[in-house]
Amino acid sequence: ILSVCQRNIASYPHSHLTTRFLQRNTRTLMDSSASSVSEVTPEDVKTSLKEIRERIEVARKKSGDKPVRLVAVSKTKPVELLKACYEEGQKVFGENYVQELVQKAPELPRDVEWHFIGHLQTNKAKDIVSIPNLAMVETVDSIKLAKNLNKHSQALRNGSPLGIMLQVNTSGEASKNGVNPDEVLQVCDYLLKECPHLSFRGLMTIGAPDASDDQPDFKKLLECKEKLLEAHPELKNQNFEISMGMSHDFQQAIEFGSTNVRVGSSIFGARAKKNNTIKLWEKMK
């Protein structure tokens, strides 16, 4: 962390203040960096990945044996743990943060398929699209973002449309991003008619962590899917995808019809929390 900060001092205004901040907080930054290093070993990750795959197979067989994609979500985790998964045949990885994805992508083989699954600001669309093996942005949540992704895909992807999903806020939580369920048709109309350089693949949601066993958020997303297919029957001929389910609920999600699950901590271990010094540094950037 410290070296990254030092390399970028000159690019920020009032760099003398930034330098003073680093001088005063060097030990805290270094301690935070050390504490954020995962204690999980590559062998641990391989064992966990095998267990997750087995659980996916059990859930698949309960839901009609349809294919399910596992996205291994590696946010804040070191590259060596991703490489351990890759050695076991895992080719699809997900990241929540733009800068982390930009840094990690060149360090893994080009046949890796990257999914971006975090909130994407419009001004970061070009950074994301510039990654050659970006396969999917699962978190498109506005027409404005779609418009920017379409523009940069036209310029940077040599005629290869970028896969996207529309994120739907099915739980109605203010803390979650995504369009409202009643906005799905309007936004999808725009995606299908005005974004030729994007490939619309389906819908995505993040269910409430304390959802009841009948999973109302998953049901709401499936309702959105049915209404969308009624309005656009041509989508029935495509491999329409449903992305729902994370470490705590992916098996239930598959049983409800998910074709794409995003599993992080159950593979890579818990994510290290940022301390206040790191948060302050990020605010200064």
Side-chain angles (χ1 to χ4, degrees), residues 92-259:
V92 184
F93 292 90
E95 283 293 343
N96 289 64
Y97 306 117
V98 173
Q99 190 58 36
E100 192 166 358
L101 178 50
V102 169
Q103 292 172 349
K104 284 180 178 177
E107 298 188 50
L108 282 141
R110 284 291 297 271
D111 62 342
V112 163
E113 294 182 6
W114 288 101
H115 285 216
F116 186 76
I117 63 170
H119 178 59
L120 181 59
Q121 296 176 315
T122 303
N123 63 352
K124 297 291 185 180
K126 183 177 181 180
D127 295 336
I128 277 290
V129 174
S130 65
I131 297 170
N133 49 339
L134 177 69
M136 185 94 68
V137 174
E138 296 194 21
T139 48
V140 173
D141 59 2
S142 70
I143 287 176
K144 181 180 179 182
L145 177 57
K147 184 177 180 179
N148 274 268
L149 288 171
N150 185 67
K151 177 181 71 174
H152 294 304
S153 293
Q154 180 181 15
L156 298 171
R157 290 183 63 88
N158 298 317
S160 175
L162 172 65
I164 63 162
M165 292 186 186
L166 180 65
Q167 182 176 0
V168 185
N169 186 350
T170 54
S171 65
E173 295 170 272
S175 60
K176 285 191 170 70
N177 297 299
V179 301
N180 294 326
D182 58 5
E183 297 174 323
V184 168
L185 288 180
Q186 175 190 356
V187 178
C188 284
D189 282 345
Y190 182 87
L191 294 174
L192 294 170
K193 295 176 183 177
E194 304 296 335
C195 298
H197 303 286
L198 302 179
S199 176
F200 176 65
R201 302 288 179 79
L203 303 176
M204 176 268 207
T205 197
I206 301 173
D210 56 351
S212 57
D213 288 341
D214 63 347
Q215 294 291 348
D217 301 332
F218 294 167
K219 289 181 178 178
K220 177 63 70 174
L221 192 68
L222 296 177
E223 290 173 8
C224 292
K225 172 189 173 182
E226 292 308 313
K227 291 179 180 178
L228 181 57
L229 293 181
E230 288 178 10
H232 290 279
E234 71 277 11
L235 294 176
K236 295 179 181 179
N237 298 324
Q238 302 177 16
N239 184 23
F240 194 96
E241 296 202 44
I242 290 291
S243 177
M244 56 189 189
M246 300 188 293
S247 285
H248 67 285
D249 60 4
F250 71 88
Q251 287 179 279
Q252 281 183 298
I254 293 170
E255 292 175 21
F256 272 86
S258 179
T259 63

Side-chain angles (χ1 to χ4, degrees), residues 1-10 12 18 22 29 281:
I1 293 174
L2 182 62
S3 62
V4 172
C5 294
Q6 290 172 326
R7 286 200 303 270
N8 288 281
I9 286 176
Y12 298 107
T18 309
L22 288 173
L29 284 164
W281 161 251

Side-chain angles (χ1 to χ4, degrees), residues 81-91 93 108-109 111-112:
L81 297 187
L82 281 71
K83 290 180 178 178
C85 282
Y86 182 84
E87 291 172 1
E88 297 301 303
Q90 179 66 30
K91 299 291 182 68
F93 292 90
L108 282 141
D111 62 342
V112 163

